Amino acid sequence: MSRRSWCAVACFTAAAALLSSSLDVVEVSLASMEPTIHDGDYVVVVKRLSPLGGIFVRTPGRETIVVLCLAGRPGASVASGLYLKRVVAVPGDRVRIHAGTLILNNVPVREPYAAHPTAAAREADMWPDTILHRRDVVVPYGRLFVLGDNRAESLDSRVWGMLEESAVRGIVIFTAHLGRWRRRAPER
């Protein structure tokens, strides 16, 4: 084998090792991200603690879909402790939900991906949910506010509170539904 061939094989092997240690494929087993990602879909995730993750996965931006590891936490009902959620607020953001509308930094956010099964469920979606505390909450440094797209079926920051950035295992870059791959570009 020539020197050039050996170099090509070595480069290919290194690239394959880098990708296999940086990417993961996860089968979705919950409906909390419908209609964006369905039960039974597969997602490709760039792992946060990987060679590529160190390059591409900083603090996830707003609207980025992330994989969270929440094993052993109150309200974490999945045996694996892995959840898919959408980051809706990052450190320094002011957040609240009023009648199903996410209000971020005093501006209502248009969320075409958010699903409420009925108008009544949408009207009932409030956070923070205490009568006396209807003002915005500031996301502290090192924390994120995450929501599932299927608001009525999602355990998320409305239940858990703000999550540590360290709970993020990776970001979703592709979803596969019935053999079709759809690209999901991470926010920067």
Side-chain angles (χ1 to χ4, degrees), residues 36-92:
T36 307
I37 300 172
H38 297 270
D39 184 20
D41 283 358
Y42 290 88
V43 295
V44 177
V45 177
V46 174
K47 298 177 195 175
R48 187 173 193 165
L49 298 176
S50 69
L52 282 180
I55 296 169
F56 295 111
V57 185
R58 306 272 186 250
T59 299
R62 289 185 209 102
E63 296 191 11
T64 301
I65 297 176
V66 295
V67 175
L68 301 163
C69 182
L70 302 174
R73 290 191 184 221
S77 62
V78 178
S80 69
L82 296 179
Y83 290 83
L84 288 178
K85 301 295 172 194
R86 184 181 302 272
V87 175
V88 297
V90 296

Side-chain angles (χ1 to χ4, degrees), residues 138-155:
V138 177
V139 178
Y141 176 78
R143 304 232 173 206
L144 301 169
F145 191 85
V146 299
L147 294 173
D149 289 355
N150 186 353
R151 300 292 160 79
E153 298 295 323
S154 180
L155 290 175

Side-chain angles (χ1 to χ4, degrees), residues 16-136:
L18 177 68
L19 287 175
S20 68
S21 68
S22 298
L23 300 177
D24 202 4
V25 177
V26 178
E27 182 178 5
V28 177
S29 61
L30 293 172
S32 70
M33 286 302 293
E34 290 182 359
T36 307
I37 300 172
H38 297 270
D39 184 20
D41 283 358
Y42 290 88
V43 295
V44 177
V45 177
V46 174
K47 298 177 195 175
R48 187 173 193 165
L49 298 176
S50 69
L52 282 180
I55 296 169
F56 295 111
V57 185
R58 306 272 186 250
T59 299
R62 289 185 209 102
E63 296 191 11
T64 301
I65 297 176
V66 295
V67 175
L68 301 163
C69 182
L70 302 174
R73 290 191 184 221
S77 62
V78 178
S80 69
L82 296 179
Y83 290 83
L84 288 178
K85 301 295 172 194
R86 184 181 302 272
V87 175
V88 297
V90 296
D93 283 344
R94 302 179 73 79
V95 63
R96 71 182 152 100
I97 300 170
H98 180 74
T101 300
L102 175 66
I103 300 171
L104 190 61
N105 301 320
N106 294 319
V107 177
V109 176
R110 186 177 169 277
E111 296 180 288
Y113 44 78
H116 293 87
T118 64
R122 181 177 183 82
E123 287 298 314
D125 188 8
M126 302 282 214
W127 186 89
D129 60 0
T130 61
I131 292 173
L132 299 175
H133 188 67
R134 288 280 184 221
R135 53 181 186 240
D136 298 354

Side-chain angles (χ1 to χ4, degrees), residues 152-173:
E153 298 295 323
S154 180
L155 290 175
D156 48 40
S157 286
R158 296 170 297 172
V159 174
W160 302 319
M162 311 292 174
L163 297 177
E164 302 88 4
E165 288 178 13
S166 61
V168 174
R169 285 296 174 96
I171 61 169
V172 174
I173 57 170

